[in-house]
PDB file of all heavy atoms in Angstrom:
ATOM      1  N   ASP A 216      15.163  87.131 -70.283  1.00 98.00           N
ATOM      2  CA  ASP A 216      15.677  88.224 -69.454  1.00 98.00           C
ATOM      3  C   ASP A 216      16.623  89.123 -70.251  1.00 98.00           C
ATOM      4  O   ASP A 216      17.243  88.698 -71.233  1.00 98.00           O
ATOM      5  CB  ASP A 216      16.474  87.662 -68.270  1.00 98.00           C
ATOM      6  CG  ASP A 216      15.596  86.996 -67.222  1.00 98.00           C
ATOM      7  OD1 ASP A 216      14.404  86.761 -67.500  1.00 98.00           O
ATOM      8  OD2 ASP A 216      16.121  86.693 -66.133  1.00 98.00           O
ATOM      9  N   ASP A 217      16.761  90.333 -69.764  1.00 98.00           N
ATOM     10  CA  ASP A 217      17.833  91.274 -70.154  1.00 98.00           C
ATOM     11  C   ASP A 217      17.634  91.940 -71.511  1.00 98.00           C
ATOM     12  O   ASP A 217      18.505  92.663 -71.980  1.00 98.00           O
ATOM     13  CB  ASP A 217      19.232  90.606 -70.131  1.00 98.00           C
ATOM     14  CG  ASP A 217      19.616  90.079 -68.769  1.00 98.00           C
ATOM     15  OD1 ASP A 217      18.880  90.375 -67.799  1.00 98.00           O
ATOM     16  OD2 ASP A 217      20.631  89.370 -68.670  1.00 98.00           O
ATOM     17  N   ILE A 242      15.003  95.047 -69.262  1.00 98.00           N
ATOM     18  CA  ILE A 242      15.815  96.073 -68.621  1.00 98.00           C
ATOM     19  C   ILE A 242      15.749  97.325 -69.514  1.00 98.00           C
ATOM     20  O   ILE A 242      15.034  97.350 -70.514  1.00 98.00           O
ATOM     21  CB  ILE A 242      17.264  95.594 -68.370  1.00 98.00           C
ATOM     22  CG1 ILE A 242      18.007  95.324 -69.678  1.00 98.00           C
ATOM     23  CG2 ILE A 242      17.253  94.322 -67.528  1.00 98.00           C
ATOM     24  CD1 ILE A 242      19.483  94.979 -69.460  1.00 98.00           C
ATOM     25  N   HIS A 264      12.659  93.721 -64.821  1.00 98.00           N
ATOM     26  CA  HIS A 264      13.875  93.054 -64.342  1.00 98.00           C
ATOM     27  C   HIS A 264      14.702  94.086 -63.577  1.00 98.00           C
ATOM     28  O   HIS A 264      14.736  94.054 -62.359  1.00 98.00           O
ATOM     29  CB  HIS A 264      14.610  92.473 -65.544  1.00 98.00           C
ATOM     30  CG  HIS A 264      15.643  91.453 -65.202  1.00 98.00           C
ATOM     31  ND1 HIS A 264      15.538  90.590 -64.148  1.00 98.00           N
ATOM     32  CD2 HIS A 264      16.833  91.147 -65.821  1.00 98.00           C
ATOM     33  CE1 HIS A 264      16.610  89.799 -64.113  1.00 98.00           C
ATOM     34  NE2 HIS A 264      17.406  90.125 -65.106  1.00 98.00           N
ATOM     35  N   HIS A 268      20.540  96.926 -64.039  1.00 98.00           N
ATOM     36  CA  HIS A 268      21.066  95.560 -63.900  1.00 98.00           C
ATOM     37  C   HIS A 268      22.480  95.563 -63.326  1.00 98.00           C
ATOM     38  O   HIS A 268      23.266  94.630 -63.553  1.00 98.00           O
ATOM     39  CB  HIS A 268      21.033  94.823 -65.240  1.00 98.00           C
ATOM     40  CG  HIS A 268      20.928  93.327 -65.102  1.00 98.00           C
ATOM     41  ND1 HIS A 268      21.951  92.532 -64.665  1.00 98.00           N
ATOM     42  CD2 HIS A 268      19.893  92.471 -65.351  1.00 98.00           C
ATOM     43  CE1 HIS A 268      21.562  91.263 -64.662  1.00 98.00           C
ATOM     44  NE2 HIS A 268      20.309  91.201 -65.064  1.00 98.00           N
ATOM     45  N   PRO A 305      17.420  90.537 -60.668  1.00 98.00           N
ATOM     46  CA  PRO A 305      18.675  90.206 -61.344  1.00 98.00           C
ATOM     47  C   PRO A 305      19.440  89.157 -60.516  1.00 98.00           C
ATOM     48  O   PRO A 305      19.616  89.328 -59.316  1.00 98.00           O
ATOM     49  CB  PRO A 305      19.414  91.546 -61.388  1.00 98.00           C
ATOM     50  CG  PRO A 305      18.302  92.549 -61.469  1.00 98.00           C
ATOM     51  CD  PRO A 305      17.230  91.999 -60.562  1.00 98.00           C
ATOM     52  N   GLY A 306      19.802  88.069 -61.170  1.00 97.00           N
ATOM     53  CA  GLY A 306      20.473  86.972 -60.466  1.00 97.00           C
ATOM     54  C   GLY A 306      19.507  86.044 -59.750  1.00 97.00           C
ATOM     55  O   GLY A 306      19.926  85.050 -59.149  1.00 97.00           O
ATOM     56  N   HIS A 374      17.544  84.145 -72.297  1.00 98.00           N
ATOM     57  CA  HIS A 374      17.912  85.567 -72.404  1.00 98.00           C
ATOM     58  C   HIS A 374      17.739  86.055 -73.833  1.00 98.00           C
ATOM     59  O   HIS A 374      18.005  85.306 -74.780  1.00 98.00           O
ATOM     60  CB  HIS A 374      19.359  85.774 -71.943  1.00 98.00           C
ATOM     61  CG  HIS A 374      19.558  85.486 -70.480  1.00 98.00           C
ATOM     62  ND1 HIS A 374      19.714  84.207 -70.000  1.00 98.00           N
ATOM     63  CD2 HIS A 374      19.596  86.311 -69.395  1.00 98.00           C
ATOM     64  CE1 HIS A 374      19.845  84.255 -68.672  1.00 98.00           C
ATOM     65  NE2 HIS A 374      19.777  85.519 -68.290  1.00 98.00           N
TER      66      HIS A 374
HETATM   67 ZN1   ZN B  15      19.319  89.510 -65.845  1.00 84.51          ZN
END
Side-chain angles (χ1 to χ4, degrees):
D216 289 12
D217 300 351
I242 65 174
H264 196 33
H268 207 288
H374 294 81

